[in-house]
Amino acid sequence: MITIKSITKFDKAHATVITIGTFDGVHIGHKKILERLINSAKLLEIESTVLTFFPHPRMVLQQDSNIKLLNTIEEKEMILSNLGLDFLIIHPFSKEFSRLSAIEFVRDILVNKLNTKKIIIGYDHRFGRNRNADINDLKNYGTTFDFNVEEITAQEIDDVSVSSTKIRKALAEGDVSKANSYLGYNYMLTGIVTKGKGLGRQLNFPTANIYIKEEYKLIPKNGVYVVKAKLKNSTVFGMMNIGYNPTVNGTEKTIEVNFFNFNDDLYGKKIQVDILERIRDEVKFDSINDLKVQLTKDQETATSLIAKL
């Protein structure tokens, strides 16, 4: 797969079958559409192409700083790259871009820039300035500009009964198992390991503190989770706490991972942590010793769950 960061850099010598969307989470419903895209491209012997946007349109048009997304743009690129697409186009979304009329978007972007021969799109897709055009308009433009439109029906979308909104809700409630089943992969957090206050080491449970720079990334409900990560080319399991460390009167939210049987220095390294299961809520204990006793129980619980994987 080739990733192109702007439509203007696409070589229109490539004829394309295209689908358009934010694809937040790249969940099993999205994958159904993408498989259809790839198969269609193979039949037509042209290039399968996903057109997505960053920042998320709501961040730009609604200045909605509270929107939380399932993937950072790097995570989305990584997930999509494993699906067998020919091209991923991540186009910068701006107010100026949003003001393109429907015909300008179709003619100038889809036809003249991306050499689109077929579009596979949901029945409820809307586009153009103020989102005032729908799939029927797209089909009419197809007649004018010589491309086909394949509609994904309401029934097909409902059959999957998965949405990014449902996944966000599951994660906000701490139901990572449900979220993972909808995603078709383990929900991930990607960030830089930074120095913490060293409390974990004092308790004999040293932790890697994960800093995630993307403020829009959805962090699951506070609590303790079973996790895994690829470190030094090996899969390493561990347990992760998301929260405020109330036992020591913490005031800042942290993400701390205690990796089992791993002692190498990770400071400054970028790591991806896959979340497998939730163990418990974050609790304020009466003493540091009570916290240490609970961490030992958490490790036993996590080890037991890992053995069943």
Side-chain angles (χ1 to χ4, degrees):
M1 187 192 77
I2 299 172
T3 301
I4 296 170
K5 301 292 185 181
S6 174
I7 290 164
T8 57
K9 295 180 180 177
F10 187 79
D11 180 358
K12 69 167 295 185
H14 299 284
T16 62
V17 179
I18 196 165
T19 192
I20 306 160
T22 54
F23 293 100
D24 187 32
V26 197
H27 55 61
I28 58 174
H30 292 143
K31 286 170 187 169
K32 190 173 180 181
I33 297 170
L34 296 171
E35 285 171 9
R36 196 153 154 181
L37 175 80
I38 291 164
N39 290 336
S40 183
K42 286 177 180 175
L43 283 172
L44 295 170
E45 297 184 338
I46 55 180
E47 311 290 353
S48 58
T49 302
V50 167
L51 172 59
T52 191
F53 307 99
F54 189 81
H56 191 286
R58 275 176 59 189
M59 292 178 179
V60 176
L61 300 179
Q62 300 175 20
Q63 296 182 326
D64 188 351
S65 59
N66 293 321
I67 184 172
K68 296 297 180 184
L69 303 181
L70 299 170
N71 303 134
T72 66
I73 196 65
E74 288 181 4
E75 288 169 350
K76 185 189 292 185
E77 186 177 336
M78 183 267 294
I79 297 163
L80 286 169
S81 71
N82 293 327
L83 298 181
L85 295 163
D86 293 311
F87 290 100
L88 169 63
I89 300 173
I90 305 171
H91 189 68
F93 192 89
S94 63
K95 287 186 177 179
E96 181 183 19
F97 183 80
S98 76
R99 294 187 185 111
L100 287 178
S101 66
I103 192 168
E104 286 172 330
F105 176 70
V106 171
R107 180 193 63 212
D108 300 345
I109 304 297
L110 299 183
V111 176
N112 292 340
K113 290 281 197 305
L114 301 180
N115 195 12
T116 301
K117 300 303 179 186
K118 183 176 180 179
I119 299 170
I120 298 176
I121 208 78
Y123 73 99
D124 57 351
H125 181 73
R126 302 194 69 85
F127 64 102
R129 186 185 299 149
N130 299 322
R131 301 180 76 244
N132 61 2
D134 61 17
I135 193 162
N136 294 316
D137 296 301
L138 194 59
K139 289 175 179 176
N140 290 334
Y141 289 134
T143 302
T144 302
F145 295 109
D146 193 27
F147 60 78
N148 294 318
V149 177
E150 183 176 328
E151 179 179 347
I152 301 163
T153 65
Q155 182 180 348
E156 287 177 282
I157 291 173
D158 290 343
D159 281 348
V160 179
S161 69
V162 169
S163 70
S164 301
T165 301
K166 286 183 179 179
I167 298 168
R168 292 188 197 107
K169 184 174 184 291
L171 290 167
E173 293 171 350
D175 194 345
V176 72
S177 296
K178 179 188 284 187
N180 289 349
S181 70
Y182 285 162
L183 288 166
Y185 59 88
N186 297 315
Y187 191 67
M188 65 189 75
L189 298 177
T190 308
I192 303 293
V193 178
T194 59
K195 283 194 179 291
K197 294 180 179 177
L199 175 64
R201 192 167 295 281
Q202 291 173 34
L203 296 171
N204 208 27
F205 287 92
T207 59
N209 290 261
I210 314 297
Y211 168 69
I212 299 173
K213 67 177 181 180
E214 294 88 355
E215 293 181 2
Y216 61 84
K217 171 73 176 181
L218 189 153
I219 308 301
K221 182 180 180 180
N222 290 358
V224 179
Y225 295 83
V226 183
V227 299
K228 69 176 180 179
K230 197 83 168 177
L231 305 174
K232 305 280 179 131
N233 296 316
S234 296
T235 298
V236 180
F237 292 91
M239 57 187 185
M240 173 178 71
N241 185 78
I242 299 174
Y244 292 88
N245 295 306
T247 304
V248 293
N249 300 314
T251 56
E252 292 184 12
K253 189 169 185 172
T254 60
I255 302 169
E256 301 174 81
V257 185
N258 169 241
F259 288 115
F260 305 152
N261 306 312
F262 184 85
N263 298 309
D264 287 13
D265 184 5
L266 293 172
Y267 288 129
K269 291 184 169 57
K270 190 174 195 175
I271 65 171
Q272 174 189 310
V273 178
D274 291 0
I275 308 177
L276 308 180
E277 187 67 80
R278 190 171 193 268
I279 298 176
R280 63 173 174 86
D281 287 339
E282 186 178 46
V283 177
K284 181 172 183 176
F285 294 95
D286 292 333
S287 68
I288 294 291
N289 189 61
D290 287 349
L291 171 59
K292 186 172 181 179
V293 169
Q294 182 60 53
L295 289 173
T296 301
K297 291 179 182 176
D298 292 340
Q299 187 178 45
E300 290 169 357
T301 302
T303 302
S304 176
L305 288 167
I306 291 162
K308 296 174 184 176
L309 295 175

